[in-house]
Coordinates of all heavy atoms in Angstrom, one line a residue:
M16 N 13.7 13.4 -17.3 CA 13.8 12.8 -18.6 C 12.6 13.3 -19.5 O 11.5 13.4 -19.0 CB 13.7 11.3 -18.5 CG 14.3 10.6 -19.6 SD 13.7 8.9 -19.7 CE 15.1 7.9 -19.7
D17 N 12.9 13.7 -20.7 CA 11.8 14.2 -21.6 C 11.2 13.1 -22.3 O 11.8 12.4 -23.1 CB 12.5 15.2 -22.6 CG 11.4 16.0 -23.3 OD1 10.2 15.7 -23.2 OD2 11.8 16.8 -24.1
H18 N 9.9 12.8 -22.1 CA 9.2 11.7 -22.7 C 8.7 12.0 -24.1 O 8.3 11.1 -24.8 CB 8.0 11.3 -21.8 CG 8.5 10.7 -20.5 ND1 9.3 9.6 -20.4 CD2 8.3 11.2 -19.2 CE1 9.6 9.4 -19.1 NE2 9.0 10.3 -18.4
H19 N 8.7 13.3 -24.4 CA 8.1 13.6 -25.7 C 9.1 13.5 -26.9 O 8.7 13.3 -28.0 CB 7.5 15.0 -25.7 CG 6.3 15.1 -24.7 ND1 5.1 14.5 -25.0 CD2 6.2 15.7 -23.5 CE1 4.3 14.8 -24.0 NE2 5.0 15.4 -23.1
R20 N 10.4 13.8 -26.5 CA 11.4 13.7 -27.6 C 12.4 12.7 -27.2 O 13.5 13.0 -26.8 CB 12.1 15.1 -27.7 CG 11.1 16.1 -28.3 CD 11.0 16.1 -29.8 NE 12.3 16.3 -30.4 CZ 12.5 16.4 -31.7 NH1 11.5 16.5 -32.5 NH2 13.7 16.6 -32.2
I21 N 12.1 11.4 -27.4 CA 13.0 10.3 -27.0 C 13.9 10.1 -28.2 O 13.5 10.1 -29.4 CB 12.2 9.1 -26.6 CG1 13.1 8.0 -26.2 CG2 11.2 8.6 -27.7 CD1 13.9 8.2 -24.9
S22 N 15.2 9.9 -27.9 CA 16.1 9.7 -29.0 C 15.9 8.3 -29.7 O 15.6 7.3 -29.0 CB 17.6 9.7 -28.5 OG 18.0 8.5 -28.1
P23 N 16.0 8.2 -31.0 CA 15.7 6.9 -31.7 C 16.6 5.8 -31.2 O 16.2 4.7 -31.1 CB 16.1 7.3 -33.2 CG 16.0 8.7 -33.3 CD 16.4 9.3 -31.9
E24 N 17.8 6.1 -30.8 CA 18.8 5.1 -30.3 C 18.3 4.5 -29.0 O 18.3 3.3 -28.8 CB 20.2 5.8 -30.1 CG 21.2 4.8 -29.6 CD 21.4 3.6 -30.5 OE1 21.2 3.8 -31.8 OE2 21.8 2.5 -30.1
V25 N 17.8 5.3 -28.1 CA 17.3 4.8 -26.8 C 16.0 4.0 -27.0 O 15.8 3.0 -26.4 CB 17.1 6.0 -25.8 CG1 16.4 5.5 -24.5 CG2 18.4 6.7 -25.5
Y26 N 15.2 4.6 -27.9 CA 14.0 3.9 -28.2 C 14.2 2.5 -28.8 O 13.7 1.5 -28.4 CB 13.2 4.7 -29.2 CG 11.8 4.1 -29.5 CD1 10.7 4.4 -28.7 CD2 11.6 3.3 -30.6 CE1 9.5 3.8 -28.9 CE2 10.4 2.7 -30.9 CZ 9.3 3.0 -30.0 OH 8.1 2.4 -30.3
R27 N 15.2 2.4 -29.8 CA 15.5 1.2 -30.5 C 16.1 0.2 -29.5 O 15.7 -1.0 -29.5 CB 16.6 1.5 -31.5 CG 16.7 0.4 -32.6 CD 17.7 0.8 -33.7 NE 19.0 1.0 -33.1 CZ 19.9 0.0 -32.9 NH1 19.5 -1.2 -33.2 NH2 21.0 0.3 -32.3
R28 N 16.9 0.6 -28.5 CA 17.5 -0.3 -27.6 C 16.4 -0.8 -26.6 O 16.5 -2.0 -26.2 CB 18.6 0.5 -26.7 CG 20.0 0.0 -27.1 CD 21.0 0.6 -26.2 NE 21.4 2.0 -26.7 CZ 21.8 2.9 -25.9 NH1 21.9 2.8 -24.6 NH2 22.2 4.1 -26.4
T29 N 15.5 0.0 -26.2 CA 14.4 -0.4 -25.3 C 13.5 -1.5 -26.0 O 13.2 -2.5 -25.4 CB 13.6 0.8 -24.9 OG1 14.4 1.8 -24.3 CG2 12.6 0.3 -23.8
V30 N 13.2 -1.2 -27.3 CA 12.4 -2.2 -28.1 C 13.2 -3.5 -28.2 O 12.6 -4.6 -28.1 CB 12.0 -1.6 -29.5 CG1 11.3 -2.7 -30.3 CG2 11.1 -0.4 -29.3
L31 N 14.5 -3.4 -28.5 CA 15.3 -4.6 -28.6 C 15.3 -5.4 -27.3 O 15.2 -6.6 -27.3 CB 16.8 -4.2 -28.9 CG 17.2 -4.2 -30.4 CD1 18.6 -3.7 -30.6 CD2 17.0 -5.5 -31.1
A32 N 15.5 -4.7 -26.2 CA 15.4 -5.3 -24.9 C 14.1 -6.0 -24.7 O 14.0 -7.1 -24.1 CB 15.7 -4.3 -23.8
Y33 N 13.0 -5.3 -25.1 CA 11.7 -5.8 -24.9 C 11.5 -7.1 -25.7 O 10.9 -8.1 -25.2 CB 10.7 -4.8 -25.4 CG 9.2 -5.2 -25.1 CD1 8.7 -5.1 -23.8 CD2 8.4 -5.7 -26.1 CE1 7.4 -5.6 -23.6 CE2 7.2 -6.1 -25.9 CZ 6.6 -6.1 -24.6 OH 5.4 -6.5 -24.3
H34 N 12.0 -7.2 -26.9 CA 11.9 -8.4 -27.7 C 12.9 -9.5 -27.3 O 12.6 -10.7 -27.4 CB 12.2 -8.0 -29.2 CG 11.0 -7.3 -29.8 ND1 9.7 -7.6 -29.7 CD2 11.0 -6.1 -30.5 CE1 9.0 -6.8 -30.3 NE2 9.7 -5.8 -30.8
G35 N 14.0 -9.1 -26.8 CA 15.1 -10.0 -26.4 C 14.9 -10.6 -25.0 O 15.3 -11.8 -24.8
L36 N 14.3 -9.9 -24.1 CA 14.3 -10.3 -22.7 C 13.5 -11.7 -22.5 O 14.0 -12.5 -21.7 CB 13.6 -9.3 -21.8 CG 14.6 -8.3 -21.2 CD1 13.9 -7.1 -20.5 CD2 15.5 -9.0 -20.2
P37 N 12.4 -12.0 -23.2 CA 11.8 -13.3 -23.0 C 12.8 -14.4 -23.3 O 12.7 -15.5 -22.6 CB 10.6 -13.3 -24.0 CG 10.3 -11.8 -24.2 CD 11.6 -11.1 -24.1
V38 N 13.6 -14.3 -24.3 CA 14.6 -15.3 -24.6 C 15.6 -15.4 -23.5 O 16.0 -16.5 -23.1 CB 15.3 -15.0 -26.0 CG1 16.3 -16.1 -26.3 CG2 14.3 -14.8 -27.1
V39 N 16.1 -14.2 -23.0 CA 17.1 -14.2 -21.9 C 16.5 -14.8 -20.7 O 17.1 -15.6 -20.0 CB 17.5 -12.8 -21.6 CG1 18.5 -12.7 -20.5 CG2 18.1 -12.1 -22.9
I40 N 15.2 -14.6 -20.4 CA 14.5 -15.1 -19.3 C 14.5 -16.6 -19.3 O 14.7 -17.3 -18.4 CB 13.1 -14.5 -19.1 CG1 13.1 -13.0 -18.8 CG2 12.3 -15.3 -18.1 CD1 11.8 -12.3 -18.9
A41 N 14.2 -17.1 -20.5 CA 14.1 -18.6 -20.7 C 15.4 -19.2 -20.5 O 15.5 -20.3 -19.8 CB 13.6 -18.9 -22.1
F42 N 16.5 -18.6 -21.0 CA 17.9 -19.2 -20.7 C 18.3 -19.0 -19.3 O 18.9 -20.0 -18.7 CB 18.9 -18.4 -21.6 CG 19.0 -19.0 -23.0 CD1 18.5 -18.3 -24.1 CD2 19.6 -20.2 -23.2 CE1 18.6 -18.9 -25.4 CE2 19.7 -20.7 -24.5 CZ 19.2 -20.1 -25.6
A43 N 17.9 -17.9 -18.6 CA 18.3 -17.7 -17.2 C 17.5 -18.8 -16.4 O 18.1 -19.4 -15.5 CB 17.9 -16.3 -16.8
L44 N 16.3 -19.0 -16.7 CA 15.5 -20.0 -16.0 C 16.1 -21.4 -16.0 O 16.4 -22.0 -15.0 CB 14.1 -20.0 -16.6 CG 12.9 -20.6 -15.7 CD1 12.7 -19.6 -14.5 CD2 11.7 -20.7 -16.6
V45 N 16.4 -21.8 -17.3 CA 16.9 -23.2 -17.5 C 18.3 -23.3 -17.0 O 18.7 -24.2 -16.3 CB 16.8 -23.6 -19.0 CG1 17.5 -24.9 -19.2 CG2 15.4 -23.6 -19.5
G46 N 19.1 -22.2 -17.3 CA 20.6 -22.2 -16.9 C 20.8 -22.2 -15.4 O 21.5 -23.0 -14.9
A47 N 20.0 -21.4 -14.7 CA 20.2 -21.3 -13.3 C 19.7 -22.6 -12.6 O 20.3 -23.0 -11.7 CB 19.4 -20.1 -12.7
F48 N 18.6 -23.1 -13.2 CA 18.1 -24.3 -12.6 C 19.1 -25.5 -12.6 O 19.3 -26.1 -11.6 CB 16.8 -24.7 -13.3 CG 16.1 -25.9 -12.7 CD1 15.2 -25.8 -11.7 CD2 16.4 -27.2 -13.2 CE1 14.6 -26.9 -11.1 CE2 15.8 -28.3 -12.6 CZ 14.9 -28.2 -11.6
F49 N 19.6 -25.7 -13.8 CA 20.5 -26.8 -14.0 C 21.9 -26.6 -13.3 O 22.5 -27.5 -12.8 CB 20.8 -27.1 -15.5 CG 19.6 -27.9 -16.0 CD1 18.7 -27.3 -16.9 CD2 19.4 -29.3 -15.7 CE1 17.7 -28.1 -17.4 CE2 18.4 -30.0 -16.2 CZ 17.5 -29.4 -17.1
A50 N 22.3 -25.3 -13.3 CA 23.6 -25.0 -12.6 C 23.5 -25.3 -11.1 O 24.3 -26.0 -10.5 CB 23.9 -23.5 -12.8
V51 N 22.4 -24.9 -10.5 CA 22.2 -25.1 -9.1 C 21.9 -26.6 -8.8 O 22.3 -27.2 -7.8 CB 21.1 -24.2 -8.5 CG1 20.8 -24.5 -7.0 CG2 21.5 -22.8 -8.6
F52 N 21.1 -27.2 -9.7 CA 20.8 -28.6 -9.5 C 22.0 -29.5 -9.5 O 22.1 -30.5 -8.8 CB 19.8 -29.1 -10.6 CG 19.1 -30.4 -10.3 CD1 18.1 -30.4 -9.4 CD2 19.5 -31.6 -10.9 CE1 17.4 -31.6 -9.1 CE2 18.9 -32.8 -10.6 CZ 17.8 -32.8 -9.7
L53 N 23.0 -29.2 -10.4 CA 24.3 -29.9 -10.4 C 25.0 -29.9 -9.1 O 25.6 -30.9 -8.7 CB 25.2 -29.3 -11.5 CG 25.0 -29.8 -12.9 CD1 25.9 -29.0 -13.9 CD2 25.3 -31.3 -13.0
F54 N 24.9 -28.7 -8.4 CA 25.7 -28.6 -7.2 C 24.9 -29.1 -6.0 O 25.5 -29.7 -5.1 CB 26.0 -27.1 -6.9 CG 27.2 -26.6 -7.7 CD1 27.0 -25.9 -8.9 CD2 28.5 -27.0 -7.4 CE1 28.1 -25.4 -9.6 CE2 29.6 -26.6 -8.2 CZ 29.3 -25.8 -9.3
T55 N 23.6 -28.9 -5.9 CA 22.8 -29.2 -4.7 C 22.0 -30.5 -4.9 O 21.6 -31.0 -3.9 CB 21.9 -28.0 -4.4 OG1 20.9 -27.9 -5.4 CG2 22.6 -26.7 -4.2
S56 N 21.7 -30.8 -6.1 CA 20.7 -32.0 -6.4 C 19.4 -31.8 -5.7 O 18.7 -32.7 -5.4 CB 21.4 -33.3 -5.9 OG 22.5 -33.5 -6.6
S57 N 19.1 -30.5 -5.4 CA 17.8 -30.2 -4.7 C 16.9 -29.5 -5.7 O 17.2 -28.5 -6.2 CB 18.1 -29.3 -3.5 OG 16.9 -28.7 -3.1
F58 N 15.7 -30.1 -5.9 CA 14.7 -29.5 -6.8 C 14.3 -28.2 -6.2 O 14.1 -27.2 -7.0 CB 13.6 -30.5 -6.9 CG 12.6 -30.1 -8.0 CD1 12.9 -30.4 -9.3 CD2 11.4 -29.4 -7.7 CE1 12.0 -30.0 -10.3 CE2 10.6 -29.0 -8.7 CZ 10.9 -29.3 -10.0
A59 N 14.1 -28.1 -4.9 CA 13.5 -26.9 -4.3 C 14.5 -25.7 -4.5 O 14.1 -24.6 -4.8 CB 13.2 -27.1 -2.8
W60 N 15.8 -26.0 -4.2 CA 16.8 -24.9 -4.3 C 17.0 -24.5 -5.7 O 17.2 -23.3 -6.0 CB 18.2 -25.4 -3.7 CG 18.2 -25.3 -2.2 CD1 18.4 -26.3 -1.3 CD2 18.2 -24.1 -1.4 NE1 18.4 -25.8 0.0 CE2 18.3 -24.4 -0.1 CE3 18.1 -22.7 -1.8 CZ2 18.3 -23.5 0.9 CZ3 18.1 -21.8 -0.8 CH2 18.2 -22.2 0.6
S61 N 16.9 -25.4 -6.6 CA 17.1 -25.1 -8.0 C 16.0 -24.2 -8.5 O 16.2 -23.3 -9.3 CB 17.2 -26.4 -8.9 OG 18.1 -27.3 -8.4
S62 N 14.8 -24.6 -8.1 CA 13.6 -23.8 -8.5 C 13.7 -22.4 -8.0 O 13.4 -21.4 -8.7 CB 12.3 -24.4 -8.0 OG 12.2 -25.7 -8.4
L63 N 14.2 -22.3 -6.7 CA 14.3 -21.0 -6.1 C 15.4 -20.1 -6.8 O 15.2 -19.0 -7.1 CB 14.7 -21.2 -4.6 CG 14.3 -20.1 -3.6 CD1 12.8 -20.1 -3.4 CD2 15.0 -20.3 -2.3
A64 N 16.5 -20.8 -7.1 CA 17.6 -20.1 -7.8 C 17.2 -19.7 -9.2 O 17.7 -18.7 -9.7 CB 18.8 -21.0 -7.8
A65 N 16.3 -20.4 -9.8 CA 15.9 -20.1 -11.2 C 14.9 -19.0 -11.2 O 14.8 -18.2 -12.0 CB 15.3 -21.3 -11.9
A66 N 14.0 -19.0 -10.1 CA 12.9 -18.0 -10.0 C 13.5 -16.6 -9.8 O 12.9 -15.7 -10.3 CB 12.0 -18.5 -9.0
A67 N 14.5 -16.5 -9.0 CA 15.0 -15.2 -8.5 C 15.5 -14.3 -9.7 O 14.9 -13.2 -9.9 CB 16.1 -15.3 -7.5
P68 N 16.4 -14.8 -10.6 CA 16.9 -13.9 -11.7 C 15.8 -13.8 -12.7 O 15.7 -12.7 -13.4 CB 18.1 -14.7 -12.2 CG 18.0 -16.1 -11.8 CD 17.2 -16.0 -10.5
S69 N 15.0 -14.8 -12.9 CA 13.9 -14.8 -14.0 C 12.9 -13.8 -13.6 O 12.3 -13.0 -14.4 CB 13.3 -16.2 -14.2 OG 14.3 -17.1 -14.5
G70 N 12.5 -13.8 -12.3 CA 11.6 -12.8 -11.8 C 12.1 -11.4 -12.0 O 11.3 -10.5 -12.4
F71 N 13.3 -11.2 -11.7 CA 13.9 -9.8 -11.9 C 13.9 -9.4 -13.3 O 13.5 -8.3 -13.7 CB 15.4 -9.9 -11.4 CG 16.1 -8.6 -11.7 CD1 15.9 -7.4 -10.9 CD2 17.1 -8.5 -12.7 CE1 16.5 -6.2 -11.2 CE2 17.8 -7.3 -12.9 CZ 17.5 -6.2 -12.2
L72 N 14.2 -10.4 -14.2 CA 14.2 -10.1 -15.7 C 12.8 -9.8 -16.2 O 12.6 -8.9 -17.0 CB 14.9 -11.2 -16.4 CG 16.4 -11.3 -16.3 CD1 16.9 -12.6 -16.8 CD2 17.2 -10.1 -16.9
A73 N 11.9 -10.6 -15.7 CA 10.5 -10.4 -16.1 C 10.0 -9.0 -15.7 O 9.2 -8.4 -16.4 CB 9.6 -11.5 -15.4
W74 N 10.4 -8.6 -14.5 CA 10.1 -7.3 -14.0 C 10.7 -6.2 -14.9 O 10.0 -5.2 -15.3 CB 10.6 -7.1 -12.6 CG 10.5 -5.7 -12.0 CD1 9.3 -5.1 -11.7 CD2 11.5 -4.8 -11.7 NE1 9.6 -3.9 -11.2 CE2 10.9 -3.7 -11.2 CE3 12.9 -4.9 -11.7 CZ2 11.6 -2.6 -10.7 CZ3 13.7 -3.8 -11.3 CH2 13.0 -2.7 -10.8
R75 N 11.9 -6.4 -15.4 CA 12.6 -5.5 -16.3 C 11.8 -5.5 -17.6 O 11.7 -4.4 -18.3 CB 14.0 -5.9 -16.6 CG 14.9 -5.9 -15.4 CD 15.2 -4.5 -14.9 NE 15.7 -3.6 -16.0 CZ 15.9 -2.3 -15.8 NH1 15.7 -1.7 -14.6 NH2 16.2 -1.6 -16.8
W76 N 11.3 -6.6 -18.0 CA 10.6 -6.8 -19.3 C 9.3 -6.0 -19.2 O 8.9 -5.3 -20.2 CB 10.3 -8.2 -19.5 CG 9.6 -8.5 -20.8 CD1 10.2 -8.4 -22.1 CD2 8.3 -8.9 -21.0 NE1 9.2 -8.7 -23.0 CE2 8.1 -9.1 -22.4 CE3 7.2 -9.2 -20.1 CZ2 6.8 -9.5 -22.9 CZ3 6.0 -9.6 -20.7 CH2 5.8 -9.8 -22.0
V77 N 8.6 -6.1 -18.1 CA 7.3 -5.3 -17.9 C 7.6 -3.8 -17.9 O 6.9 -3.0 -18.6 CB 6.7 -5.7 -16.6 CG1 5.5 -4.8 -16.2 CG2 6.1 -7.1 -16.6
L78 N 8.7 -3.4 -17.3 CA 9.1 -2.0 -17.3 C 9.4 -1.5 -18.7 O 9.0 -0.4 -19.0 CB 10.3 -1.8 -16.4 CG 10.1 -1.8 -14.9 CD1 11.4 -1.4 -14.2 CD2 9.0 -0.9 -14.5
A79 N 10.1 -2.3 -19.5 CA 10.4 -1.9 -20.8 C 9.2 -1.7 -21.7 O 9.0 -0.8 -22.4 CB 11.4 -2.9 -21.5
G80 N 8.2 -2.6 -21.5 CA 7.0 -2.6 -22.2 C 6.2 -1.3 -21.8 O 5.6 -0.6 -22.7
R81 N 6.2 -1.0 -20.5 CA 5.5 0.2 -20.1 C 6.1 1.4 -20.6 O 5.5 2.4 -20.9 CB 5.5 0.2 -18.5 CG 4.4 -0.7 -18.0 CD 4.3 -0.3 -16.5 NE 3.5 -1.4 -15.8 CZ 3.6 -1.6 -14.5 NH1 4.4 -0.9 -13.8 NH2 2.9 -2.5 -13.9
Q82 N 7.5 1.4 -20.6 CA 8.2 2.6 -21.1 C 7.9 2.8 -22.6 O 7.7 4.0 -23.0 CB 9.7 2.3 -20.9 CG 10.6 3.5 -21.2 CD 10.5 4.6 -20.2 OE1 9.6 5.5 -20.3 NE2 11.3 4.5 -19.2
I83 N 7.9 1.8 -23.4 CA 7.6 1.9 -24.8 C 6.2 2.5 -25.0 O 5.9 3.3 -25.8 CB 7.7 0.6 -25.5 CG1 9.2 0.1 -25.5 CG2 7.2 0.6 -27.0 CD1 9.4 -1.3 -25.9
D84 N 5.3 1.9 -24.1 CA 3.9 2.4 -24.2 C 3.8 3.9 -23.8 O 3.0 4.6 -24.5 CB 3.1 1.5 -23.2 CG 1.6 1.7 -23.3 OD1 1.2 2.1 -24.4 OD2 0.9 1.4 -22.4
R85 N 4.5 4.3 -22.8 CA 4.5 5.7 -22.4 C 5.1 6.6 -23.4 O 4.6 7.7 -23.6 CB 5.2 5.8 -21.0 CG 4.8 7.0 -20.3 CD 5.5 7.1 -18.9 NE 5.5 5.8 -18.2 CZ 6.5 5.3 -17.6 NH1 7.7 5.9 -17.6 NH2 6.4 4.1 -16.9
W86 N 6.2 6.2 -24.1 CA 6.8 7.0 -25.1 C 5.9 7.2 -26.3 O 5.9 8.3 -26.9 CB 8.2 6.4 -25.5 CG 9.3 6.6 -24.6 CD1 9.4 7.6 -23.7 CD2 10.4 5.8 -24.4 NE1 10.6 7.4 -23.0 CE2 11.2 6.3 -23.4 CE3 10.9 4.6 -25.1 CZ2 12.4 5.8 -23.0 CZ3 12.1 4.0 -24.7 CH2 12.8 4.6 -23.6
G87 N 5.3 6.1 -26.7 CA 4.5 6.2 -27.9 C 5.4 6.3 -29.1 O 6.5 5.7 -29.1
C88 N 5.0 7.0 -30.2 CA 5.8 7.1 -31.4 C 7.0 8.0 -31.1 O 6.8 9.1 -30.7 CB 5.0 7.6 -32.5 SG 5.9 7.9 -34.0
P89 N 8.3 7.6 -31.5 CA 9.4 8.4 -31.2 C 9.5 9.6 -32.3 O 10.2 10.5 -32.1 CB 10.6 7.5 -31.4 CG 10.1 6.3 -32.2 CD 8.6 6.2 -32.0
K90 N 8.7 9.4 -33.3 CA 8.8 10.5 -34.4 C 7.8 11.6 -34.1 O 8.1 12.8 -34.1 CB 8.5 9.8 -35.7 CG 9.6 8.9 -36.2 CD 10.6 9.6 -37.1 CE 11.8 8.7 -37.3 NZ 11.5 7.4 -38.0
C91 N 6.5 11.2 -33.9 CA 5.5 12.2 -33.8 C 5.0 12.4 -32.3 O 4.2 13.3 -32.0 CB 4.3 12.0 -34.7 SG 3.4 10.5 -34.3
G92 N 5.4 11.5 -31.4 CA 5.0 11.6 -30.1 C 3.6 11.1 -29.8 O 3.1 11.1 -28.6
G93 N 2.9 10.6 -30.8 CA 1.6 10.1 -30.6 C 1.6 8.7 -29.8 O 2.5 7.9 -30.1
S94 N 0.6 8.5 -29.0 CA 0.6 7.3 -28.3 C -0.1 6.2 -29.1 O -0.9 6.5 -30.0 CB -0.2 7.4 -26.9 OG -1.4 8.0 -27.2
F95 N 0.2 5.0 -28.9 CA -0.3 3.9 -29.6 C -1.7 3.5 -29.1 O -1.9 3.5 -27.9 CB 0.6 2.6 -29.6 CG 2.0 2.9 -30.1 CD1 3.1 2.6 -29.3 CD2 2.2 3.5 -31.3 CE1 4.3 2.8 -29.7 CE2 3.4 3.7 -31.8 CZ 4.5 3.4 -31.0
P96 N -2.6 3.2 -30.0 CA -3.9 2.8 -29.5 C -3.8 1.5 -28.8 O -3.1 0.6 -29.2 CB -4.8 2.6 -30.8 CG -3.9 3.0 -31.9 CD -2.5 3.3 -31.4
R97 N -4.5 1.4 -27.7 CA -4.4 0.2 -26.8 C -4.7 -1.1 -27.6 O -4.0 -2.1 -27.3 CB -5.4 0.3 -25.7 CG -5.0 1.3 -24.6 CD -4.0 0.7 -23.7 NE -3.2 1.7 -23.0 CZ -2.2 1.5 -22.2 NH1 -1.9 0.2 -22.0 NH2 -1.6 2.5 -21.7
K98 N -5.6 -1.1 -28.5 CA -6.0 -2.4 -29.1 C -4.9 -2.9 -30.1 O -4.6 -4.1 -30.1 CB -7.3 -2.2 -30.0 CG -8.5 -2.3 -29.1 CD -9.8 -2.0 -29.9 CE -11.0 -1.9 -29.0 NZ -12.1 -1.3 -29.6
T99 N -4.2 -2.0 -30.8 CA -3.2 -2.4 -31.7 C -1.9 -2.6 -30.9 O -1.0 -3.4 -31.3 CB -2.9 -1.4 -32.8 OG1 -2.9 -0.1 -32.3 CG2 -3.9 -1.5 -33.9
Y100 N -1.8 -2.0 -29.8 CA -0.5 -2.1 -29.0 C -0.4 -3.5 -28.5 O 0.5 -4.2 -28.8 CB -0.5 -1.1 -27.8 CG 0.7 -1.1 -27.1 CD1 1.9 -0.6 -27.6 CD2 0.8 -1.7 -25.8 CE1 3.1 -0.6 -26.9 CE2 2.0 -1.8 -25.1 CZ 3.1 -1.2 -25.7 OH 4.3 -1.3 -25.0
S101 N -1.3 -4.0 -27.6 CA -1.4 -5.3 -27.1 C -0.1 -5.9 -26.6 O 0.3 -7.0 -27.0 CB -2.1 -6.3 -28.1 OG -1.3 -6.5 -29.2
G102 N 0.7 -5.1 -25.8 CA 1.9 -5.6 -25.2 C 3.2 -5.5 -26.1 O 4.2 -5.9 -25.6
S103 N 3.0 -5.1 -27.3 CA 4.2 -5.0 -28.2 C 4.0 -3.8 -29.1 O 2.9 -3.6 -29.6 CB 4.4 -6.3 -29.0 OG 5.4 -6.1 -30.0
P104 N 5.0 -3.0 -29.4 CA 4.8 -1.9 -30.3 C 4.5 -2.3 -31.7 O 5.0 -3.3 -32.1 CB 6.2 -1.1 -30.2 CG 7.2 -2.1 -29.8 CD 6.4 -3.1 -28.9
P105 N 3.7 -1.5 -32.4 CA 3.3 -1.9 -33.8 C 4.5 -1.7 -34.7 O 5.5 -1.0 -34.3 CB 2.2 -0.9 -34.1 CG 2.4 0.2 -33.2 CD 3.0 -0.3 -31.9
K106 N 4.5 -2.3 -35.8 CA 5.6 -2.2 -36.8 C 5.8 -0.8 -37.3 O 6.9 -0.3 -37.6 CB 5.4 -3.2 -38.0 CG 5.5 -4.6 -37.6 CD 7.0 -5.1 -37.9 CE 7.1 -6.6 -37.5 NZ 7.2 -6.8 -36.0
A107 N 4.6 -0.1 -37.5 CA 4.7 1.2 -38.0 C 3.7 2.1 -37.2 O 2.7 1.6 -36.7 CB 4.4 1.3 -39.5
C108 N 4.0 3.4 -37.1 CA 3.1 4.3 -36.3 C 1.8 4.5 -37.1 O 1.8 4.6 -38.3 CB 3.8 5.7 -36.2 SG 2.8 6.9 -35.4
T109 N 0.7 4.4 -36.4 CA -0.6 4.5 -37.0 C -0.9 6.0 -37.4 O -1.7 6.2 -38.2 CB -1.7 4.1 -36.1 OG1 -1.5 4.6 -34.8 CG2 -1.7 2.5 -35.9
R110 N -0.1 6.9 -36.9 CA -0.3 8.3 -37.2 C 0.5 8.8 -38.3 O 0.0 9.3 -39.3 CB 0.0 9.2 -36.0 CG -1.1 9.2 -34.9 CD -0.8 10.3 -34.0 NE -1.8 10.4 -32.9 CZ -1.7 11.4 -32.0 NH1 -0.7 12.3 -32.0 NH2 -2.6 11.5 -31.0
C111 N 1.9 8.7 -38.1 CA 2.8 9.3 -39.1 C 3.5 8.2 -40.0 O 4.3 8.6 -40.8 CB 3.9 10.1 -38.4 SG 5.0 9.1 -37.4
R112 N 3.1 7.0 -39.8 CA 3.6 5.9 -40.7 C 5.1 5.6 -40.5 O 5.7 5.0 -41.4 CB 3.2 6.1 -42.1 CG 1.8 6.3 -42.4 CD 1.1 4.9 -42.4 NE -0.4 5.1 -42.2 CZ -1.2 4.2 -41.8 NH1 -0.8 3.0 -41.5 NH2 -2.5 4.4 -41.7
A113 N 5.7 6.2 -39.5 CA 7.1 6.0 -39.2 C 7.3 4.5 -38.9 O 6.5 3.9 -38.1 CB 7.6 6.9 -38.1
R114 N 8.4 3.9 -39.4 CA 8.7 2.5 -39.1 C 9.4 2.5 -37.7 O 10.2 3.3 -37.4 CB 9.6 1.9 -40.1 CG 8.9 1.7 -41.4 CD 9.8 1.2 -42.5 NE 10.3 -0.1 -42.2 CZ 9.7 -1.3 -42.4 NH1 8.4 -1.2 -42.9 NH2 10.2 -2.4 -42.2
L115 N 8.9 1.5 -36.9 CA 9.4 1.5 -35.5 C 10.2 0.2 -35.2 O 9.9 -0.8 -35.8 CB 8.2 1.6 -34.5 CG 7.3 2.8 -34.8 CD1 6.0 2.6 -34.0 CD2 7.9 4.1 -34.4
G116 N 11.0 0.4 -34.1 CA 11.7 -0.8 -33.6 C 12.6 -1.5 -34.5 O 12.7 -2.8 -34.5
E117 N 13.3 -0.8 -35.4 CA 14.3 -1.5 -36.3 C 15.7 -1.0 -36.0 O 15.9 0.1 -35.5 CB 14.0 -1.2 -37.7 CG 12.6 -1.1 -38.1 CD 12.3 -1.9 -39.3 OE1 12.7 -1.5 -40.4 OE2 11.7 -3.0 -39.2
Ligands
ZN55 ZN1 4.2 8.6 -35.3

């Protein structure tokens, strides 16, 4: 995979996943917990069932964040400064002023 020339479509989808996954994780957590709780009435089993998919999604979320970090700007290939990055891509590239993640 070429990290220097990432297609805008792939970049956009990864940023979308990065922004959307926390919401999906919240729904998976609550949804899995109550679904299992309805069947088992067990707090322990429900917690376990909720933790498994949420943990997996959280891992995907971390990977997406790292991927965006590694790609940097899809236009000029410049990496984002750590301080402005802070876990989420900036709205615009600090180098070439390209708008990102839309
Ligand atoms: Zn740039």
Side-chain angles (χ1 to χ4, degrees):
M16 206 199 232
D17 191 355
H18 293 299
H19 295 289
R20 293 278 300 190
I21 182 69
S22 91
E24 180 59 29
V25 173
Y26 184 86
R27 201 177 59 84
R28 250 185 277 153
T29 308
V30 173
L31 267 178
Y33 185 77
H34 287 311
L36 269 173
V38 181
V39 178
I40 291 168
F42 274 106
L44 200 68
V45 175
F48 183 88
F49 280 108
V51 175
F52 195 77
L53 273 176
F54 282 104
T55 63
S56 300
S57 159
F58 190 80
W60 278 115
S61 308
S62 306
L63 207 70
S69 303
F71 174 74
L72 289 169
W74 174 67
R75 298 292 309 174
W76 183 71
V77 169
L78 283 188
R81 279 195 194 155
Q82 187 69 271
I83 294 165
D84 193 21
R85 202 178 311 137
W86 281 335
C88 175
K90 295 268 168 60
C91 68
S94 56
F95 301 129
R97 285 281 159 183
K98 275 176 192 166
T99 42
Y100 184 74
S101 67
S103 169
K106 288 267 181 284
C108 176
T109 46
R110 279 192 183 183
C111 67
R112 303 283 162 198
R114 288 174 67 78
L115 306 167
E117 319 227 292

